[in-house]
Amino acid sequence: MPVSLRRGRVTAILEELDGLVRLEVDGEACVAYPGLTGPVAVEDDVLVNVQARDLGLGSGGFDVLYANLTRGLGLAAAEGAHVMKLPYTPLQAAAVHAEEGGELAERLEGLPVVCCSLHSQVAPVCAGLGDGLRVAYVQLPGGALPLPLSDTVRLLRERELVATTVSVGACFGGEQECVGVASALAWAAGGRCDAVVCAIGPGIVGTGSRLGHGGLAAADAANAASALGGSPVLAARISSVDERERHRGVSHHTEAVLALCTGRVTVAWPQGHDAPDWVEPRQEVDVDGWEDACAGLPLSHMGRGPGEEPWFFAAAFAAGRLARSLVA
């Protein structure tokens, strides 16, 4: 499992965001996470990981800054940090974890937890939850690990549809770091959040098989929420036009997630759309007005928007709306 590195020079800084820099190295698109590798500037001498671009990956077709040889050496660990992210790898870095000082609830007391198998479900879920709630977004491994890569979450924070962010396990870059999904949910409940949205990051680890995909993180979230006394809601993955038969109708990913849910979980189902008999237990949800509620939010699934995949986004919206009805 070799790492494909090359040495280069930063030729342009395109965008500087909180926790993320988009840049070019020798004219090639690249992203950097300054929290890991330090600040970056034009003319810096850097090492970049080029493997995703070399492989032509659709959702990862850019280089990633691996080390800044000009200004990124000798960086100190964050103050008070000693628990490692990505431990025993070349990118291990200590981070302060919420479990070390935050109040963790013993029970979730019915806290609604929406479980998504794709990052593209997050925006319509949050639109369904609506304004006026303290919502925690919890990112689980299964797609991109850096939380700052998500422009969607950044916009949801700006729109106050998400109040705080948590990166779990190998994920990093959230406002809070947590060791696992159970402690992340306990932290959210202890922090008086009204609801939690769990999802993987942009892009999904996939092998084309029933069990070999990152979307199964939704089952982990649902099982933890159920065991701790929460109210897990599953966002169904629905498609009318996906060229892959395994994802048409209700995706085999959703079927696999349900098969692995050992506790109680409810599938939110958009009213007006026929459901297969195996989608159980489910609750039909009125999704009237979902397009207006999602206006201005990034809605894209495999490059397709709401005009092509209306039921995909309506189903995710239904999960948020159902969770809203469960807020104590």
Side-chain angles (χ1 to χ4, degrees):
M1 194 175 66
V3 177
S4 302
L5 301 178
R6 74 171 176 88
R7 191 167 181 168
R9 181 177 61 88
V10 177
T11 50
I13 302 294
L14 305 178
E15 189 176 26
E16 294 185 81
L17 302 166
D18 185 22
L20 176 73
V21 177
R22 292 189 171 96
L23 63 153
E24 291 182 352
V25 175
D26 297 327
E28 298 288 352
C30 183
V31 298
Y33 304 104
L36 277 182
T37 59
V40 60
V42 172
E43 299 293 338
D44 280 357
D45 184 18
V46 297
L47 293 176
V48 293
N49 186 321
V50 302
Q51 196 165 99
R53 184 168 56 83
D54 285 352
L55 292 174
L57 300 182
S59 60
F62 46 81
D63 296 338
V64 181
L65 194 141
Y66 184 84
N68 189 337
L69 304 177
T70 298
R71 66 188 74 242
L73 303 181
L75 301 175
E79 185 177 353
H82 71 277
V83 177
M84 289 293 188
K85 288 280 185 175
L86 307 176
Y88 302 99
T89 72
L91 282 177
Q92 66 177 354
V96 176
H97 280 59
E99 297 93 334
E100 298 177 281
E103 180 183 350
L104 303 185
E106 291 293 326
R107 302 287 292 171
L108 300 187
E109 304 297 343
L111 178 73
V113 178
V114 183
C115 307
C116 304
S117 59
L118 287 172
H119 194 70
S120 49
Q121 293 170 317
V122 172
V125 164
C126 289
L129 281 163
D131 297 322
L133 298 180
R134 179 170 170 77
V135 175
Y137 167 69
V138 174
Q139 185 158 303
L140 309 178
L145 299 179
L147 196 151
L149 184 64
S150 175
D151 292 327
T152 294
V153 172
R154 189 174 292 108
L155 178 59
L156 293 171
R157 284 288 281 119
E158 292 172 1
R159 291 272 296 266
E160 297 184 347
L161 291 173
V162 165
T164 189
T165 62
V166 185
S167 39
V168 166
C171 296
F172 62 90
E175 292 162 82
Q176 302 290 333
E177 306 283 356
C178 278
V179 174
V181 62
S183 57
L185 297 179
W187 177 86
R192 294 180 174 80
C193 290
D194 298 305
V196 178
V197 179
C198 294
I200 60 175
I204 183 172
V205 176
T207 62
S209 64
R210 177 174 176 271
L211 297 177
H213 58 87
L216 292 184
D220 296 336
N223 287 336
S226 177
L228 291 172
S231 300
V233 174
L234 180 62
R237 178 177 177 176
I238 300 174
S239 176
S240 304
V241 298
D242 200 302
E243 60 186 20
R244 297 161 298 177
E245 187 176 348
R246 64 184 185 272
H247 291 310
R248 203 171 301 126
V250 183
S251 171
H252 74 140
H253 283 189
T254 297
E255 184 274 329
V257 169
L258 278 175
L260 292 176
C261 287
T262 57
R264 56 188 178 82
V265 62
T266 301
V267 181
W269 192 260
Q271 200 171 71
H273 193 59
D274 291 335
D277 292 340
W278 58 263
V279 179
E280 288 288 351
R282 68 177 183 269
Q283 183 168 331
E284 291 197 358
V285 179
D286 181 3
V287 293
D288 185 50
W290 72 265
E291 299 99 326
D292 292 337
C294 292
L297 296 178
L299 300 183
S300 179
H301 168 54
M302 302 294 294
R304 300 185 293 269
E308 300 158 284
E309 288 277 37
W311 291 112
F312 174 87
F313 300 104
F317 178 83
R321 179 164 280 184
L322 177 56
R324 174 90 192 204
S325 73
L326 298 174
V327 173

